[in-house]
C-alpha cells in the first residue's frame, strides 16, 4: 500500500523524459514504452529513494491549480499504478 | 490514452529533440571497404568536458535517445566515461559497434557501466571470406561470432545490422541463419551510400537488382513464417525516434526536428545521412543551435516539402524509403531530387508484393546508419 509516508525509488531499468503534457517511460529490460500524464511524470521525476510521497506532493502542488486532497488522491493512484507496473519500487 | 506514436509525431511537429546520434570518433579497428565516414574531415575533437556538458544540455532538453556511433565508438579514449555519464543522466543508450573489441572485460564493462538498451553490431557476410573481405581485417568474422555469443551470454540485448552489397547478396539467407542460431535479430539495409565527402566509390559495392529482390522476397517469407508460427506479431514497443512514425504528420521524417547527428569535431547535422552544416559545439551550445540554426529551420521546412512531393507518387511513395539526405548527397544538394535507389526500391518491392496475394502493411525499416 502506498501512502503519503512511503518512500519510492525508480526501478533500475527505467528511463523517462518529460514531454508536457505527457511523459515517456521506457523500461529497458522488458522492453516497453509507456506514456504517462504530466502529473505522474512530474512525480516520477522527483522520486529519489529519499523523499516520502508527502514531500513529492509538496514539490508538485505549486504546478497544478487543484486542491491538496484531490492531488493526493490522484498521486497515490498514479504511484500505485507505477508500482504495479514495476516502474517504481517501495524503499520504506 | 495517448500512444507513443502520437507523442513521437508531436516531437516532429513541435521540434522537440528526442534522438541524438553522436559519432564519437572516426578511428576504427576495422577498415571496411565501403565505409561512409569522411576520414579526411579535420577539426578539433570535442573534449570529455564538452561531451559531459552536451549530455547535461540534452538531458535538460528532455532528449531520450542517445546513439553512440563512429567510427568505432569504443575506440574513443573516453568511451566508458561518456557512456556511464549518459546512463547516469537517464538516456536510453544505443551503441553502434563493429563488435570487434566487444569481449571479456570490455563487454562486461559495457553492460555494467553503460547499461545500453541495445548494442547494434554489423555483420558483413555469412562466411569469413566475405565478411573479412569487406572489413579488410582477417579473422574478424570468427572473432565477431565469438563476441556475439559472449554478449548474449552476458544478457546484453544485441541486434545485427547488415548492408546488402554485391559481395554478400548471395549470403542473405545464410546470414539470417547465423542470426537465428545466435538468437539475435538481423536487419538489412539494401542501400550502399556514398562517402560523406561525396566520394561515390562505395557505390561500386551496390547490390544487384536481383540481390535486392531476393532479399525482399526472403524478408517477406520470414515475416510470413514468423506470423504463422507465433500468431500476430507483438506490437514492437520502445521504438526509437528515427523509426517510421505511423501517425500522420506534415513532415517526411524527423531529421532536424526530432533527431540530429553530431560528428567528432562538434559539427551538428540534421541527420547522420543529411549532412547540412547546422552549427558547431565549439561555438554554440546545443540549445542555441537547436533553436537558432537557420540551416535546421530550412531542413524542417524541406522535410515538409519532401512529404508534399512524394505524395505525387501515390502508393509508391511508401515503398521508396526515400531519404532526403541521400537525395541531397547524390544530387549535389537537392533533398527533393528523387534518386535511382529510391525508385528502384519501390519498383522491386512493388514486384515482390505483386507476386503475393496480399499487400502487407508492415513497414520495412532499412537504414543501418
Ligand atoms: C559507419 S558504421 C559505425 C558503427 C560501427 N563502426 C559499425 O560498423 O557498425 C554504421 C553502419 O553503417 C554501415 N555502413 C558503412 N558504410 C556504409 C555505406 N557506404 N553504405 C551503407 N552502409 C554503410 C556499417 O556497415 C554499419 O552498419
Ligand atoms: S563501417 Fe564501421 S567498422 Fe567499418 S570501417 Fe566504418 S566505422 Fe569501422
Amino acid at each position: 500500500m502506498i501512502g503519503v509516508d512511503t518512500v519510492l525509488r525508480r526501478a533500475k531499468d527505467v528511463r523517462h523524459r518529460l514531454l508536457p503534457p505527457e511523459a515517456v517511460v521506457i523500461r529497458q529490460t522488458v522492453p516497453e514504452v509507456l506514456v504517462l500524464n504530466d502529473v505522474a511524470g512530474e512525480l516520477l521525476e522527483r522520486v529519489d529513494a529519499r523523499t516520502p510521497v508527502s514531500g513529492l506532493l509538496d514539490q508538485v502542488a505549486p504546478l497544478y491549480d487543484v486542491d491538496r486532497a484531490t492531488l493526493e488522491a490522484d498521486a497515490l493512484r498514479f504511484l500505485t499504478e507505477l508500482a504495479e507496473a514495476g516502474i517504481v519500487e517501495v524503499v520504506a | 490514452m495517448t500512444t507513443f506514436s502520437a507523442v513521437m509525431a508531436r516531437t516532429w511537429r513541435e521540434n522537440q529533440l528526442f534522438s541524438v546520434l553522436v559519432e564519437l570518433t572516426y578511428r576504427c579497428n576495422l577498415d571496411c571497404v565501403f565505409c561512409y565516414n569522411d576520414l579526411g574531415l579535420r577539426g578539433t575533437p570535442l573534449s570529455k568536458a564538452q561531451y559531459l556538458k552536451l549530455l547535461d544540455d540534452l538531458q535538460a532538453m528532455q532528449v531520450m535517445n542517445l546513439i553512440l556511433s563512429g567510427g568505432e565508438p569504443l575506440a574513443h579514449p573516453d568511451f566508458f566515461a561518456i557512456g556511464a555519464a549518459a546512463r547516469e543522466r537517464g538516456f536510453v543508450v544505443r551503441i553502434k559497434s563493429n563488435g570487434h573489441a566487444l569481449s571479456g572485460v570490455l563487454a562486461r564493462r559495457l553492460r555494467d557501466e553503460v547499461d545500453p538498451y541495445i548494442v547494434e553490431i554489423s555483420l558483413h557476410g555469412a562466411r569469413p571470406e566475405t565478411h573479412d573481405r569487406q572489413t579488410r581485417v582477417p579473422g574478424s568474422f570468427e572473432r565477431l561470432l565469438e563476441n556475439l555469443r559472449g554478449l548474449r551470454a552476458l544478457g546484453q540485448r544485441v541486434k545485427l545490422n547488415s548492408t546488402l552489397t554485391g559481395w554478400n547478396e548471395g549470403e542473405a539467407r545464410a546470414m539470417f541463419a547465423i542470426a537465428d542460431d545466435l538468437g539475435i535479430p538481423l536487419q538489412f539495409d539494401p542501400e550502399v551510400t556514398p562517402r560523406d565527402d561525396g566520394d561515390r566509390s562505395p557505390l561500386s559495392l551496390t547490390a544487384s537488382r536481383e540481390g535486392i529482390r531476393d532479399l525482399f522476397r526472403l524478408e517477406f517469407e520470414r515475416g510470413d513464417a514468423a506470423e504463422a508460427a507465433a500468431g500476430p506479431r507483438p506490437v514492437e514497443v520502445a521504438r526509437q525516434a528515427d523509426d517510421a512514425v505511423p501517425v500522420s504528420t506534415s513532415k517526411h521524417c524527423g531529421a532536424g526536428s526530432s533527431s540530429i547527428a553530431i560528428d567528432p569535431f562538434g559539427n551538428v547535422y540534421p541527420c547522420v545521412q543529411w549532412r547540412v552544416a547546422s552549427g558547431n559545439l565549439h561555438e554554440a551550445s546545443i540549445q542555441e543551435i537547436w533553436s537558432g540554426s537557420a540551416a535546421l529551420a530550412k531542413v524542417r521546412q524541406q522535410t515538409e516539402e519532401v512529404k508534399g512531393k512524394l505524395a505525387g507518387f501515390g502508393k509508391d511513395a511508401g515503398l521508396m524509403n526515400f531519404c532526403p539526405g541521400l537525395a541531397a548527397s547524390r544530387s549535389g544538394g537537392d533533398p527533393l531530387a528523387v534518386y535511382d535507389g529510391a525508385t528502384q526500391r519501390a519498383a522491386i518491392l512493388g514486384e515482390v508484393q505483386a507476386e503475393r496475394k496480399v499487400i502487407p502493411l508492415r513497414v520495412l525499416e532499412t537504414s543501418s546508419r
Side-chain angles (χ1 to χ4, degrees):
Chain A
M1 250 298 271
I2 292 177
V4 288
D5 297 326
T6 308
V7 176
L8 298 162
R9 69 168 169 237
R10 288 191 289 271
K12 192 172 162 280
D13 71 331
V14 164
R15 306 285 185 270
H16 75 286
R17 290 296 188 239
L18 302 179
L19 302 171
E22 280 109 17
V24 174
V25 177
I26 290 178
R27 286 198 59 201
Q28 293 210 139
T29 46
V30 181
E32 67 179 356
V33 61
L34 296 110
V35 179
L36 309 182
N37 66 34
D38 59 346
V39 181
E42 293 288 351
L43 288 164
L44 182 64
E45 171 83 0
R46 287 165 175 77
V47 164
D48 61 359
R50 283 190 307 270
T51 312
V53 170
S54 57
L56 304 180
L57 288 170
D58 292 343
Q59 294 173 30
V60 167
L63 305 177
Y64 299 100
D65 189 16
V66 55
D67 64 88
R68 177 82 179 202
T70 308
L71 182 64
E72 186 177 309
D74 284 351
L76 290 176
R77 186 160 49 84
F78 294 151
L79 290 170
T80 302
E81 282 175 25
L82 293 181
E84 282 167 3
I87 293 165
V88 296
E89 297 160 350
V90 174
V91 177
Chain B
M1 210 190 86
T2 313
T3 63
F4 182 54
S5 293
V7 175
M8 289 312 308
R10 186 159 65 77
T11 67
W12 288 24
R13 263 195 320 273
E14 297 177 359
N15 303 327
Q16 162 65 50
L17 184 56
F18 194 80
S19 262
V20 175
L21 184 144
V22 179
E23 294 176 333
L24 287 177
T25 176
Y26 288 153
R27 270 194 275 169
C28 190
N29 45 0
L30 299 183
D31 182 23
C32 301
V33 62
F34 69 140
C35 181
Y36 60 70
N37 285 166
D38 175 3
L39 300 182
L41 194 65
R42 294 288 171 261
T44 307
L46 293 176
S47 66
K48 181 171 149 191
Q50 284 174 304
Y51 277 118
L52 298 184
K53 156 98 167 68
L54 172 67
L55 296 181
D56 283 341
D57 291 349
L58 295 177
Q59 182 187 12
M61 293 167 77
Q62 300 297 320
V63 169
M64 174 68 100
N65 292 323
L66 188 78
I67 302 131
L68 299 179
S69 184
E72 176 52 35
L74 281 117
H76 190 284
D78 296 318
F79 171 80
F80 281 103
I82 295 165
R87 167 195 154 156
E88 277 158 24
R89 287 160 180 74
F91 293 99
V92 174
V93 179
R94 278 187 181 221
I95 310 289
K96 285 180 176 270
S97 166
N98 58 37
H100 196 57
L102 274 174
S103 62
V105 176
L106 227 55
R108 275 198 302 279
R109 286 190 68 191
L110 181 70
R111 184 198 59 184
D112 297 342
E113 296 175 30
V114 183
D115 190 18
Y117 165 66
I118 199 163
V119 184
E120 295 189 24
I121 294 179
S122 302
L123 178 68
H124 296 271
R127 300 180 308 139
E129 293 83 344
T130 311
H131 182 95
D132 296 359
R133 184 183 180 202
Q134 282 195 189
T135 65
R136 295 194 284 203
V137 173
S140 58
F141 177 75
E142 294 300 346
R143 187 157 147 182
L144 177 60
L145 291 192
E146 199 180 317
N147 290 354
L148 289 169
R149 281 189 282 269
L151 286 165
R152 292 287 287 140
L154 283 175
Q156 176 61 60
R157 184 178 293 116
V158 180
K159 176 186 167 209
L160 286 167
N161 287 330
S162 185
T163 305
L164 192 75
T165 68
W167 292 358
N168 67 26
E169 63 183 30
E171 298 176 21
R173 191 178 288 275
M175 289 164 77
F176 274 122
I178 290 173
D180 291 346
D181 195 40
L182 289 162
I184 299 176
L186 165 63
Q187 182 188 327
F188 272 95
D189 178 348
E191 196 155 3
V192 178
T193 61
R195 240 184 276 287
D196 288 336
D197 62 3
D199 174 5
R200 297 167 70 87
S201 60
L203 302 186
S204 65
L205 259 76
T206 297
S208 69
R209 196 180 195 287
E210 292 68 36
I212 296 172
R213 186 200 55 206
D214 290 349
L215 172 67
F216 290 160
R217 281 184 179 152
L218 180 58
E219 287 181 330
F220 283 124
E221 179 192 313
R222 287 176 54 85
D224 290 347
E227 264 170 42
R233 281 158 33 117
V235 176
E236 193 200 327
V237 290
R239 296 177 66 89
Q240 305 295 307
D242 46 2
D243 287 352
V245 171
V247 170
S248 139
T249 72
S250 60
K251 286 173 181 157
H252 171 71
C253 65
S257 56
S258 169
S259 50
I260 50 165
I262 300 172
D263 78 14
F265 310 110
N267 296 304
V268 176
Y269 309 102
C271 170
V272 67
Q273 295 200 132
W274 195 352
R275 293 190 181 247
V276 180
S278 303
N280 186 288
L281 294 173
H282 290 295
E283 289 151 22
S285 71
I286 190 66
Q287 289 106 326
E288 287 164 340
I289 293 170
W290 186 248
S291 57
S293 161
L296 283 182
K298 186 169 170 196
V299 161
R300 290 168 190 148
Q301 173 74 38
Q302 286 172 324
T303 57
E304 299 203 4
E305 289 164 17
V306 170
K307 176 114 180 181
K309 174 158 184 179
L310 291 186
F313 286 87
K315 75 166 177 47
D316 278 358
L319 305 180
M320 281 183 182
N321 200 41
F322 181 80
C323 168
L326 286 184
S329 84
R330 288 188 164 220
S331 69
D334 180 4
L336 275 77
V338 174
Y339 50 96
D340 288 351
T343 46
Q344 188 198 48
R345 180 187 152 79
I348 300 173
L349 256 180
E351 274 171 38
V352 175
Q353 288 187 340
E355 295 167 4
R356 299 159 51 86
K357 295 278 184 296
V358 275
I359 299 195
L361 290 170
R362 196 156 66 94
V363 178
L364 291 169
E365 295 172 27
T366 54
S367 177
S368 64
R369 278 207 183 191

